[in-house]
Amino acid sequence: MVMDDKTILKRISELVDEEHRLRADAQANEVGTDEEARTRLRELEESLDQCWDLLRRRRAARTTHGDPDAQGARPVPEVERYLQ
């Protein structure tokens, strides 16, 4: 499925909102997050990395007169290997 930049940014916003809720819940309970919450946080971080990577590559394609719609999300292991 091809996503445009607006859709990707909306997805990023949704993921960030969920991440903030989970972290706020953990803080409010004054305990570490349970295993399920930690797993979900990791999934959110990976999804955010994928979304940001896709958005950067779409913008780069547009800048170099390429086709941004030809870009697709890269697998999590590939995106997670990048140095920040």
Side-chain angles (χ1 to χ4, degrees):
M1 175 176 98
V2 175
M3 294 195 300
D4 62 9
D5 291 5
K6 185 176 178 179
T7 303
I8 296 167
L9 287 167
K10 181 176 184 248
R11 181 67 182 141
I12 288 170
S13 179
E14 293 167 351
L15 292 168
V16 167
D17 288 346
E18 184 179 352
E19 179 184 32
H20 287 171
R21 279 192 305 276
L22 282 172
R23 291 189 189 282
D25 288 348
Q27 253 185 340
N29 293 328
E30 297 182 8
V31 296
T33 57
D34 62 16
E35 187 61 33
E36 183 177 323
R38 281 192 299 272
T39 298
R40 182 61 187 146
L41 281 169
R42 185 176 61 252
E43 291 169 352
L44 289 169
E45 291 167 358
E46 292 170 347
S47 293
L48 280 165
D49 289 346
Q50 279 183 301
C51 287
W52 282 115
D53 174 68
L54 177 56
L55 188 61
R56 281 190 297 270
R57 289 185 302 106
R58 286 178 55 82
R59 288 175 174 171
R62 197 174 292 111
T63 300
T64 60
H65 306 291
D67 180 7
D69 291 335
Q71 305 301 315
R74 295 184 199 197
V76 169
E78 185 175 341
V79 173
E80 291 303 305
R81 281 195 308 262
Y82 297 147
L83 295 175
Q84 299 295 323

